[in-house]
Amino acid sequence: MFDIAKCKPIVASVLLGGSALIGSVALAHPPHSPYDATVFAPIKRFGPRVAVEVVASGLVAPLKGVTAPGDRDHLFVVDQVGKGWKVNLDNKERTLFIDVSARLVRLGVLGDNSFDERGFLGLAFHPDYRHNGLIYTYTSEPNAPGAPTFPTTMRTRDADHQNVVAEWKVTGGTVAMGSRRELLRVDHPQFNHDGGDLAFGPDGKLYISMGDGGGADDRDGQDFIKATGSLPPVVEPMDGHGLDGNGQKLTNPLGKILRIDVNGRNSRNGRYGVPGDNPFVGRSGGVLGEIWAYGFRNPYRFSFDSHAGTLFVGDVGQNDIEEVNVVRKGGNHGWPIKEGTVFFSHNGNADGTAQREPLGPVPHNLIDPVAQYDTHHEGHSVIGGFVYRGRALHGLYGRFIFGEFSTIFNFPTGPHDYGRLLHMSGDPSQRGLRAISEFHIVGGNSLGLAVLGMGQDADGEVYLTGNRSGLPFGSAGMVLKIVPAEEEHDHDDE
């Protein structure tokens, strides 16, 4: 989701103002008057008209909705605070499916009712779930004793937290909490850019997204807010990235899409398998065989097209470009050499910038995104979605439906209630940049909430998840189904 790295002027204001700012002043540029003047990729297309229907409410910060194999009646919703909900799509009733809240770091970077990107971030069901009852979670947990699964990138201090992927067994419809089996644990330097999504691909392997380690610009040395969970705000120089960033390093899992075999045991810790057809298996020099693709900043949400098998990921941008990528085996998707289709300059310890000319030699194998739009002018964080394979939304079959967190960001207490609902071609064969369109939402053309995630049911219908504040607090979280508007004669102006 959104991270504060791209609003350093806001962060600086918070640090100068201290606790007096909390809950009193909205520190952000107006949505239609951004503070940077550079325009790379505006959204210029709008339509068609759609409506949204409440499927679940009373949640905190729902981040994604997924289905279980063989269950067409429910959507399983990940709530950032540690709750997994089973939502009946017919009668809208919800029941608690799993509770991992006790395992999480304390949420709220600056205390209660403040922003955070950590938490319960991902949930996936084993392809053979109907028979083995296995599920998988991605959580942000306190640092555990002993070494993490992969060598830490930290040089001068401990990591902020650890990204943990674990397996659980469901028996009789209930998660057996004592069945937990930890697969991997990764040191994460700062509180943000956590990635956190999980999904099984058509090949039956588990794919895992991890961000570049957080902070800003994927580079050590810059002052950045420390997640103390209290006021006054504290800053410290970034650590855990080096001067060349994690995104391009094949020796650590940060800024990557990983691919593992949950049925195997040939990993270094003996808890999962490393597929022999992964692109970097057998490489020397400490290269991780688990890596499927690299060069990502914060691949927060991703999905596979249920028909074509294409892997789409929304990679949250730094200061200028939000991007959607089609992930390729072994692909280098650019960060931090590029941001979108332009080049990125970390600019020393000042704000990083995107520019049209490279700073130096550019690897020949960089893969550009398939779509992009401007940070600040059009939003703050792309929220990856799903290729639509339902029947209710006429004319949208095969379109990739995704979201934008919010056009305005009020760090640290919100609200962030300017989310947007977007779509583009999901054709796997299309080349070049794809035009992005924004849906017209009936009833005022505004969602009135922060878009935190997306979901898709067994029929291919698509949902969005979010709340008004954009924070992991409160009880205003909702799951909304995208449904046809009453008047369907309007057409997308593409």
Side-chain angles (χ1 to χ4, degrees), residues 85-234:
W85 298 98
K86 182 178 181 180
V87 179
N88 188 306
L89 296 176
D90 291 327
N91 60 24
K92 314 296 175 63
E93 292 181 357
R94 61 180 169 91
T95 55
L96 186 63
F97 177 67
I98 187 172
D99 186 349
V100 296
S101 57
R103 302 202 61 87
L104 304 180
V105 295
R106 179 188 173 189
L107 300 185
V109 172
L110 298 178
D112 290 348
N113 298 307
S114 67
F115 183 76
D116 211 329
E117 296 186 31
R118 303 166 298 178
F120 177 25
L121 303 181
L123 173 67
F125 290 79
H126 193 286
D128 198 29
Y129 171 74
R130 284 177 288 182
H131 299 105
N132 63 26
L134 296 178
I135 66 169
Y136 300 84
T137 58
Y138 187 120
T139 48
S140 307
E141 301 189 7
N143 298 334
T149 305
F150 308 103
T152 185
T153 63
M154 304 302 294
R155 297 182 303 119
T156 64
R157 59 179 180 269
D158 290 339
D160 174 84
H161 66 278
Q162 292 177 321
N163 304 327
V164 180
V165 176
E167 176 187 272
W168 310 74
K169 187 172 180 62
V170 179
T171 304
T174 302
V175 177
M177 300 307 290
S179 68
R180 181 182 180 274
R181 185 175 73 88
E182 188 168 300
L183 273 61
L184 56 85
R185 178 177 289 263
V186 176
D187 277 355
H188 196 89
Q190 286 80 42
F191 77 88
N192 57 339
H193 303 189
D194 294 289
D197 214 352
L198 300 172
F200 281 90
D203 54 8
K205 303 301 188 289
L206 181 63
Y207 291 72
I208 305 164
S209 68
M210 289 199 182
D212 65 8
D217 300 345
D218 198 12
R219 177 182 169 88
D220 283 352
Q222 302 182 59
D223 284 341
F224 195 75
I225 285 184
K226 180 179 181 179
T228 61
S230 63
L231 293 169
V234 174

Side-chain angles (χ1 to χ4, degrees), residues 257-280:
I257 302 290
L258 309 179
R259 177 180 182 254
I260 66 172
D261 181 0
V262 297
N263 300 319
R265 295 294 185 272
N266 69 334
S267 62
R268 278 168 286 188
N269 66 4
R271 300 179 184 179
Y272 59 88
V274 179
D277 59 347
N278 273 7
F280 303 107

